[in-house]
Amino acid sequence: MCVDGLLFPGDFVDRGSFSVENVMLLFAFKLLYPNHFFMSRGNHETTNMNRVYGFSGEVKHKYDDKVMAVFTEVFQSLPIAHVINSRAFVVHGGLPADTSTTLDAVSRISRFREPADSGLMSDLLWSDPSPFKGVQPSKRGVGIGFGPDVTAGFCKTNGLGGLPCCCHVSLCSDVGARDVGLLLTPFVTNGFGYGAGADMVIRSHEVKDEGYLVEHDGKCVTVFSAPNYCDQVR
Amino acid sequence: MELKDVFKAQGALHKKYCLMMLKQLKTYFREQPSLIHVRCVPLFQLRRIVFPPISLPFLHLPFIVALFGLCLVSDHGPGRFQNQRVWRHARSVLRFAEHLRACGHAFGNQHVPVQWYATIRVVNIAMLVSLVSRVR
């Protein structure tokens, strides 16, 4: 049982020049608070993205290839998703196309590898919500765009709901990384979630001007609280 | 001083300790399922807050990293980590921690059981964050 805690739904690196410092600080928190501090994998915790967006180069500059190899192994070991109080499904990207996908299937994902171009693991790390019903091809070329009916179907299939949701989506600032800050501290409930009594999907993956965006009739919340995204926005 | 200059002045986490942390994390995460179930204590059961109020916790963490370099402090004396000597900033963190205690600031993580990481206590960065944010 978590008294209070923090959940970071992925993408800890590849944005800015201090990714190593950022991710190591998060790891230090994880070591200190293993039952209060949670981290899941994002699409940037992958080899290809690290190579293209700079983390690999940063690590090799600050350390060497050996350290980068261990980083890769740690990233491949990160959990894929979290469920808070049997109510909120938290993942980096979004939902898979198949609304019959169960939490058990997510739990059984063989994740100690790089995600494939398609499939459940890839969808969870790459998908985005869409205002249109059904499933659309993703503008990213990986994952899908999932509509409000997909979100509702996933929540219904998995029985998300029933227990009071104590989570609060915080607007706290970041450590330079992206997608930081789903604050589970239950003493604050002045937002969506608790008051709405909604079962929901919480994800990151996209920049939002206000730090978050509620979609799909309140069932899908995007959290993005980096105020200085890519050193471009203050 | 610009943050970049601060980083340059303070140096980086030593490779040995970086690898040590990464390997322990790898072992830990490998034992976890792909889907983690988290249970939060209901509001009425909450007795103590570990982290400072909302919007404070992570506002200045880059500053903390810059100033203190992710210092790990062991129970076996200043500047030591798993009974090995750590890098130069550990002593300054210990002094800062003593200063905090002298000023009456209690460290907020005392009720959190440190389990498999038993021999190590990380300086309560959240408390430092709170204080540094006031300084700034």
Side-chain angles (χ1 to χ4, degrees):
Chain A
M1 182 72 80
C2 177
V3 175
D4 50 3
L6 289 162
L7 197 162
F8 291 73
D11 279 15
F12 315 119
V13 299
D14 278 342
R15 295 287 185 257
S17 305
F18 302 113
S19 291
V20 169
E21 287 79 4
N22 291 332
V23 73
M24 290 309 297
L25 182 61
L26 297 178
F27 285 160
F29 269 117
K30 182 62 183 173
L31 292 171
L32 178 62
Y33 301 105
N35 298 321
H36 298 74
F37 192 92
F38 303 95
M39 305 172 74
S40 62
R41 193 175 185 181
N43 65 314
H44 276 265
E45 278 72 58
T46 56
T47 303
N48 285 342
M49 298 300 280
N50 289 165
R51 190 177 299 133
V52 172
Y53 284 86
F55 182 65
S56 179
E58 183 185 338
V59 173
K60 290 174 183 175
H61 174 72
K62 294 178 177 175
Y63 296 111
D64 54 28
D65 289 353
K66 179 185 175 186
V67 176
M68 186 59 218
V70 183
F71 264 117
T72 299
E73 291 175 350
V74 175
F75 289 165
Q76 290 178 347
S77 306
L78 286 167
I80 301 296
H82 294 77
V83 172
I84 305 166
N85 280 6
S86 304
R87 185 131 188 181
F89 180 75
V90 187
V91 69
H92 177 74
L95 299 178
D98 184 2
T99 58
S100 65
T101 301
T102 62
L103 295 181
D104 187 48
V106 176
S107 187
R108 284 187 283 104
I109 289 177
S110 175
R111 70 181 193 277
F112 304 127
R113 59 181 170 84
E114 295 301 307
D117 292 337
S118 61
L120 178 57
M121 182 174 169
S122 176
D123 288 349
L124 293 171
L125 298 186
W126 282 92
S127 295
D128 296 296
S130 161
F132 307 108
K133 280 190 173 182
V135 174
Q136 294 86 40
S138 171
K139 60 195 175 195
R140 302 172 189 269
V142 187
I144 61 163
F146 58 98
D149 54 326
V150 176
T151 303
F154 180 84
C155 291
K156 184 177 180 181
T157 297
N158 291 289
L160 295 175
L163 293 173
C165 181
C166 294
C167 73
H168 169 78
V169 181
S170 153
L171 302 181
C172 70
S173 295
D174 71 305
V175 292
R178 298 172 62 196
D179 309 343
V180 171
L182 171 60
L183 190 62
L184 301 180
T185 314
F187 70 102
V188 179
T189 55
N190 59 333
F192 39 83
Y194 187 86
D199 42 338
M200 60 171 60
V201 173
I202 301 172
R203 41 91 61 178
S204 307
H205 200 36
E206 291 180 291
V207 183
K208 299 299 176 187
D209 291 341
E210 301 298 323
Y212 69 94
L213 185 67
V214 184
E215 298 172 277
H216 294 182
D217 300 322
K219 289 186 181 299
C220 181
V221 180
T222 297
V223 182
F224 193 99
S225 52
N228 187 21
Y229 177 52
C230 292
D231 297 327
Q232 293 174 349
V233 182
R234 292 276 178 190
Chain B
M1 187 185 294
E2 290 292 326
L3 184 61
K4 192 175 178 182
D5 297 326
V6 174
F7 269 89
K8 284 182 178 177
Q10 295 293 327
L13 180 65
H14 193 285
K15 176 183 169 183
K16 178 167 70 172
Y17 303 106
C18 177
L19 281 172
M20 192 181 295
M21 290 173 67
L22 289 176
K23 287 175 179 175
Q24 292 194 45
L25 275 164
K26 177 187 162 189
T27 303
Y28 175 83
F29 282 132
R30 291 239 162 196
E31 294 170 352
Q32 304 294 310
S34 294
L35 180 70
I36 308 285
H37 286 269
V38 179
R39 293 289 306 276
C40 289
V41 173
L43 178 63
F44 63 88
Q45 292 182 7
L46 186 65
R47 294 179 179 175
R48 188 172 179 186
I49 312 289
V50 172
F51 290 96
I54 268 184
S55 84
L56 274 180
F58 292 96
L59 190 57
H60 302 291
L61 283 191
F63 227 60
I64 297 301
V65 176
L67 291 174
F68 303 107
L70 282 179
C71 293
L72 300 172
V73 183
S74 80
D75 290 328
H76 307 298
R80 301 190 77 80
F81 172 70
Q82 292 188 340
N83 212 26
Q84 297 179 50
R85 188 167 176 76
V86 297
W87 60 103
R88 55 197 165 102
H89 305 300
R91 288 183 182 277
S92 62
V93 169
L94 275 182
R95 281 200 294 271
F96 190 71
E98 292 303 321
H99 173 71
L100 292 181
R101 286 198 187 95
C103 294
H105 294 289
F107 276 47
N109 62 350
Q110 290 166 353
H111 74 296
V112 178
V114 181
Q115 299 167 346
W116 55 276
Y117 212 54
T119 61
I120 301 164
R121 284 184 296 127
V122 176
V123 170
N124 189 337
I125 300 173
M127 177 61 76
L128 302 183
V129 168
S130 172
L131 292 173
V132 171
S133 66
R134 291 175 210 163
V135 172
R136 289 186 75 192

